[in-house]
Amino acid sequence: MSKILVMGATSGIGLCIAERLAAEGNKVGVAGRRDDVMQMLAARYPENVVWEHIDITSVDAPAGLENLVDKMGGMDVYFHVSGVGYDNPGLEIQKEIATMQTNVAGFTRMVDAAFRYFRDMCGGKGQIAAITSVAGTNGIGAMAAYSSSKKFQQTYLRALCQLANSRHLAISFTDIRPGWIRTPLLAPAQSYPMEMTTEYVVSRILRAVKRRRRVAVVDWRWNILVGLWRLIPAALWVKLPVSVGSLASTPVSAKGQK
């Protein structure tokens, strides 16, 4: 039985991941801002689920993570799912800043706390996994803050992997980059290119985590498309009429911290 902490486990992908892990018999620490959902999970899996209210934008969030790890009796895997994003071609500054506060500052705060825990309390062993996005491949104008924040996350995980190796630490990193996923956060009347169901995606996410994949694009179709995006010169990319519906990998409405 593994001890896995899921940050952002109260809706969408995070909730499905937490339920699947608990059903498999793992000890799961669930964290987020919706206490009612976490209480429901704990009642459904009383032997496997413990929870803690954590807002990753708060400076006190690492203390909450420490409390949750104590309840779990330790941690083998830190899984970061929390995130926020907007379709914001008008560049409403509140949305841009909110995205950065969660996806950059909050992400860094929690991933660093997990890194320090594995370094100091586990003999340098552990795994840090995170849901980033194919949107981090190139900047998407209508989602400038979101796509940039996902690029930051991908680069940060790579840098921490290098840091761990340089310090001879056995901390592994899994960067999971999904495309469009049909969750309640998507506009129900709108269809999206290469859309996937939550169940389909979660199975592939958990497989990547269990295999300790360094980078996993979900799914194979998006992997091909991302490869093509990388071949487009920057001078050409900025001239393309990119729209959220054609290229983005996240909801066009708010994708809140979970």
Side-chain angles (χ1 to χ4, degrees):
M1 177 177 71
S2 296
K3 298 174 181 178
I4 305 171
L5 192 154
V6 182
M7 184 64 63
T10 59
S11 67
I13 300 173
L15 175 57
C16 189
I17 286 171
E19 287 191 291
R20 187 80 63 86
L21 290 171
E24 291 176 356
N26 298 289
K27 188 72 172 183
V28 184
V30 297
R33 300 190 300 184
R34 295 180 58 188
D35 292 1
D36 59 329
V37 175
M38 293 187 286
Q39 289 169 349
M40 175 273 293
L41 281 173
R44 184 177 298 172
Y45 303 98
E47 301 298 321
N48 300 86
V49 172
V50 291
W51 66 276
E52 183 83 13
H53 181 103
I54 298 178
D55 179 351
I56 68 171
T57 65
S58 169
V59 295
D60 297 327
L65 184 146
E66 184 177 341
N67 290 338
L68 184 53
V69 171
D70 286 343
K71 293 178 184 179
M72 297 167 62
M75 176 173 67
D76 302 313
V77 180
Y78 174 79
F79 201 161
H80 193 96
V81 186
S82 293
V84 65
Y86 301 93
D87 173 28
N88 190 27
L91 296 179
E92 297 177 42
I93 193 59
Q94 296 89 344
K95 293 179 178 179
E96 298 294 277
I97 296 301
T99 300
M100 293 302 183
Q101 286 175 338
T102 298
N103 295 0
V104 175
F107 173 88
T108 304
R109 179 178 290 117
M110 304 316 296
V111 168
D112 282 8
F115 186 100
R116 291 191 298 269
Y117 171 80
F118 290 134
R119 181 194 64 194
D120 300 337
M121 306 301 293
C122 299
K125 296 180 180 180
Q127 182 180 10
I128 295 174
I131 303 290
T132 66
S133 173
V134 298
T137 307
N138 289 327
I140 298 173
M143 304 180 74
Y146 183 81
S147 57
S148 299
S149 70
K150 291 303 177 179
K151 172 61 75 175
F152 169 87
Q153 292 178 357
Q154 293 166 5
T155 303
Y156 201 81
L157 291 172
R158 186 184 308 124
L160 288 187
C161 185
Q162 183 190 65
L163 177 63
N165 287 330
S166 70
R167 301 291 174 84
H168 306 290
L169 302 175
I171 303 174
S172 63
F173 296 83
T174 300
D175 176 356
I176 299 163
R177 306 175 183 182
W180 285 109
I181 305 169
R182 173 50 62 181
T183 70
L185 294 170
L186 289 181
Q190 185 172 344
S191 61
Y192 299 82
M194 297 192 294
E195 185 180 302
M196 301 173 287
T197 65
T198 301
E199 292 74 16
Y200 174 86
V201 170
V202 166
S203 294
R204 283 152 181 78
I205 287 173
L206 292 179
R207 185 185 309 150
V209 173
K210 291 172 183 177
R211 294 179 178 178
R212 294 180 178 264
R213 292 274 303 278
R214 175 63 193 86
V215 175
V217 178
V218 181
D219 61 0
W220 65 270
R221 300 165 300 171
W222 284 99
N223 197 25
I224 292 172
L225 186 57
V226 166
L228 294 174
W229 289 354
R230 292 196 184 102
L231 298 176
I232 301 174
L236 176 59
W237 178 267
V238 298
K239 295 179 180 179
L240 294 175
V242 177
S243 67
V244 173
S246 64
L247 291 180
S249 66
T250 53
V252 295
S253 56
K255 176 189 171 189
Q257 183 193 149
K258 297 171 281 291

